[in-house]
Amino acid sequence: MKKRQLTPNRIIATITLFLLLTIDAGFYSNEKIGGTIRLIIVGAAIIFLVITRLQKTVLSNAFFSHLKRTFLVFVISLIMPIIYGGYNIKQMIIMLAAWGIGYLFTLFVSYQEFKDVYLSIIRFLAVYSLITFVSGIVFSNVVELLPVVEKNGTPYYNAIFSVVSGSNFVTRNFGIFWEPGAFSIYLNIALYLELFESKFNLKRVALLVITVLTTVSTLGIVCMVILFAAFLTTDKEVSSSRVKGLIVTAGALGLIILIIYGGDYIYHAFNKLDMSGTTVNESTAVRINAIVYPGSAFLENPILGVGYDDYLFIQERFCQDMATCSFINWLCLFGLVGGLIPIVGCVRFFTVNNHGMLTNCALFIFTIILFSTENFIQLIFIYVILFLGFNKRSKKKLINKLV
């Protein structure tokens, strides 16, 4: 980020988005702070952001027109399914609040500003996590002096802006997030922005590639490969030497990892895809169930969905409390009436202009896979993404700056 961009408004936006990421999706915040309290903290931060920007802006007619249309969409897509099906009032309030807070953020932070701030935050978290990740391997005795939380018999050490796992089975980079797979998703979102929405920078791209690899996430690696495949189909002006440099760098990183980990890395990263035996890998089985059972419920109630009570029953009874496919979850909950809205918003966020159908088809596959193995339906950040998806190509100026 250039120094001239560090205005008070930009600093407040950075702090707000950083809080949103760390409080809404952080490992220790999820372990130590209740969901309602997390929602209140993030909501208060975003309201403060809005107040600081209201003092220097005049809301345009387009702003209020956009607000009315969105409110109508909320009523149709969310309230009607609640009336139709069984519902859990507390969970529905949390989800409605997440939608509302995410939408409020996007009204006062443009797509371009979000992109710049988000990338600066993720780059910081990537560098910091790599330092703590390596420290956890090389200086494990020192790391063990940090505050610890035990989860499922495994110690996790609080390194402030990162989590260091004390697992004896496999060493993975959590970043600050609740699990490495989640971190890989946030990294892939940043990688998309670097490749398709920014001037190509080999060092920044390499940083994200290295960090994704340290998460040892199957999803993260697969999504990263699809992103590069999509990138190579674009007519974006990148010199052949830089593309070659990227390929050489990626190959060197892969070689280094194989030298360090040997077959262990391949095993831990891709063994869950092995279904050649008599039983399906537990991790894969959970994700298959997360598609089959909520998907079947959606097909039985395609218009308005099943409501939150039935969705929770399906998640607990058939998905081991891990209904991990967000797109299917939205459809199961709200049917086509409400479920298509967040799906379309997310797809639009990862759609690029001025590129061919092949590129956008690859990005569509990337989007589907990205949201297929984590449940994001109550995370505010995802609603920021979906509303930015609707707004990023809009030419209407919602907020007029006062000169």
Side-chain angles (χ1 to χ4, degrees):
M1 186 184 294
K2 298 179 180 179
K3 289 185 177 180
R4 61 184 177 84
Q5 293 178 312
L6 289 177
T7 62
N9 276 347
R10 177 58 62 87
I11 292 171
I12 292 172
T14 302
I15 293 172
T16 302
L17 186 56
F18 188 83
L19 274 175
L20 194 158
L21 293 173
T22 55
I23 299 297
D24 197 35
F27 179 93
Y28 279 94
S29 64
N30 275 261
E31 291 296 317
K32 296 292 187 179
I33 306 174
T36 304
I37 301 300
R38 295 200 306 272
L39 192 67
I40 292 172
I41 293 172
V42 175
I46 291 178
I47 289 172
F48 178 76
L49 167 77
V50 170
I51 291 172
T52 59
R53 297 194 171 203
L54 271 175
Q55 295 172 353
K56 298 182 179 180
T57 59
V58 174
L59 302 185
S60 66
N61 290 331
F63 176 95
F64 289 105
S65 175
H66 191 72
L67 192 65
K68 286 189 291 185
R69 288 198 306 271
T70 305
F71 178 77
L72 182 61
V73 168
F74 268 86
V75 172
I76 294 174
S77 65
L78 299 178
I79 303 302
M80 284 182 62
I82 293 172
I83 295 173
Y84 169 78
Y87 63 93
N88 182 302
I89 190 65
K90 178 182 177 181
Q91 298 298 329
M92 285 307 307
I93 289 174
I94 290 173
M95 178 169 285
L96 286 169
W99 277 62
I101 294 171
Y103 177 63
L104 192 62
F105 181 87
T106 60
L107 284 179
F108 290 88
V109 176
S110 68
Y111 175 81
Q112 183 62 42
E113 184 178 12
F114 165 83
K115 183 194 75 174
D116 294 340
V117 170
Y118 180 74
L119 285 176
S120 66
I121 291 172
I122 292 299
R123 285 195 292 266
F124 165 74
L125 291 177
V127 171
Y128 191 95
S129 72
L130 288 175
I131 293 172
T132 56
F133 175 74
V134 173
S135 298
I137 297 172
V138 179
F139 307 108
S140 58
N141 292 337
V142 177
V143 170
E144 289 173 1
L145 299 176
L146 296 172
V148 62
V149 167
E150 189 169 300
K151 182 179 179 182
N152 299 326
T154 300
Y156 296 93
Y157 302 96
N158 185 357
I160 306 177
F161 299 121
S162 185
V163 176
V164 181
S165 170
S167 172
N168 294 321
F169 177 63
V170 57
T171 303
R172 303 178 66 185
N173 188 352
F174 278 67
I176 204 167
F177 298 95
W178 75 86
E179 69 113 3
F183 188 24
S184 75
I185 290 176
Y186 288 88
L187 289 166
N188 267 287
I189 292 172
L191 187 59
Y192 161 79
L193 294 173
E194 286 286 5
L195 290 176
F196 293 94
E197 303 288 350
S198 306
K199 185 177 180 180
F200 184 86
N201 186 301
L202 181 58
K203 292 180 181 178
R204 293 177 179 176
V205 170
L207 170 65
L208 295 173
V209 170
I210 293 169
T211 313
V212 169
L213 291 175
T214 59
T215 65
V216 199
S217 167
T218 310
L219 169 77
I221 295 170
V222 169
C223 285
M224 187 171 65
V225 170
I226 295 173
L227 267 184
F228 281 118
F231 179 69
L232 292 175
T233 67
T234 66
D235 22 355
K236 192 169 183 173
E237 295 181 1
V238 179
S239 67
S240 59
S241 61
R242 285 197 170 187
V243 174
K244 290 177 181 177
L246 179 61
I247 294 172
V248 170
T249 301
L253 288 172
L255 181 61
I256 291 170
I257 288 172
L258 285 177
I259 291 173
I260 295 174
Y261 288 97
D264 286 345
Y265 185 87
I266 302 298
Y267 174 83
H268 290 300
F270 298 105
N271 181 60
K272 65 183 68 174
L273 299 178
D274 182 11
M275 296 187 292
S276 58
T278 55
T279 59
V280 178
N281 181 284
E282 182 180 359
S283 177
T284 303
V286 167
R287 283 158 173 78
I288 291 174
N289 290 341
I291 295 173
V292 171
Y293 292 104
S296 298
F298 158 67
L299 293 176
E300 293 174 3
N301 302 272
I303 305 302
L304 295 175
V306 301
Y308 224 109
D309 277 346
D310 287 349
Y311 163 75
L312 287 177
F313 172 78
I314 293 167
Q315 178 177 245
E316 294 168 5
R317 177 67 177 81
F318 301 107
C319 303
Q320 301 179 35
D321 271 332
M322 291 185 290
T324 54
C325 188
S326 295
F327 283 1
I328 295 294
N329 292 343
W330 276 315
L331 290 172
C332 177
L333 270 166
F334 304 122
L336 294 173
V337 172
L340 281 180
I341 294 172
I343 294 173
V344 171
C346 290
V347 170
R348 282 173 61 94
F349 182 89
F350 295 103
T351 302
V352 290
N353 290 330
N354 305 320
H355 290 296
M357 182 179 295
L358 184 60
T359 302
N360 280 309
C361 283
L363 288 174
F364 176 75
I365 295 171
F366 163 80
T367 308
I368 296 296
I369 297 175
L370 191 72
F371 293 103
S372 66
T373 62
E374 293 290 344
N375 189 358
F376 289 112
I377 64 173
Q378 288 191 341
L379 285 186
I380 297 170
F381 178 77
I382 296 307
Y383 296 105
V384 169
I385 291 291
L386 83 88
F387 283 119
L388 285 174
F390 284 116
N391 293 339
K392 79 172 189 176
R393 290 199 297 272
S394 175
K395 296 182 180 179
K396 290 186 177 180
K397 197 171 184 181
L398 300 182
I399 298 177
N400 297 317
K401 299 280 185 181
L402 278 178
V403 180

